[in-house]
Amino acid sequence: VEGHEDTVRTRLAKVPEVDAVYVEVENGVVHVYSIVRDMGDFYDRLMTQEKAVAKAWPGIRFDFHVRVHQGRRPSRAAPPFARAIYCR
């Protein structure tokens, strides 16, 4: 399904703590990795946006993850086969 990555990008970019977003499709599931500098109190805001993505695309199975880069390049915190769709 085309277009869901635009929704993911637009929604997750609304959370200032998200520095990058990577995606990877595995066994029909879209894994979405939000890359942040450090853990913090942004989870409620992030989960609100993740729920909006899932609601906008009910035919797609999403699995959302948060990874910490701790000042490294965000790509270092993403899984090796995931593809960047957003970088702040």
Side-chain angles (χ1 to χ4, degrees), residues 1 4 28-30 53-62:
V1 178
H4 69 277
V29 177
V30 178
V53 168
K55 185 175 181 180
W57 295 93
I60 297 177
R61 289 180 30 219
F62 291 98

Side-chain angles (χ1 to χ4, degrees), residues 19-56:
D19 290 332
V21 178
Y22 285 74
V23 295
E24 179 179 24
V25 179
E26 185 179 22
N27 297 325
V29 177
V30 178
H31 293 272
V32 179
Y33 299 89
S34 295
I35 311 298
V36 299
R37 175 174 288 281
D38 294 300
M39 295 299 185
D41 61 352
F42 56 86
Y43 285 108
D44 288 342
R45 288 181 283 121
L46 181 59
M47 285 182 12
T48 296
Q49 298 304 328
E50 292 172 350
K51 287 176 185 174
V53 168
K55 185 175 181 180

Side-chain angles (χ1 to χ4, degrees), residues 19 35-39 67-74 76-77:
D19 290 332
I35 311 298
V36 299
R37 175 174 288 281
D38 294 300
M39 295 299 185
R67 296 268 182 108
V68 177
H69 66 73
Q70 298 177 318
R72 299 173 293 168
R73 285 179 308 183
R76 305 267 305 195

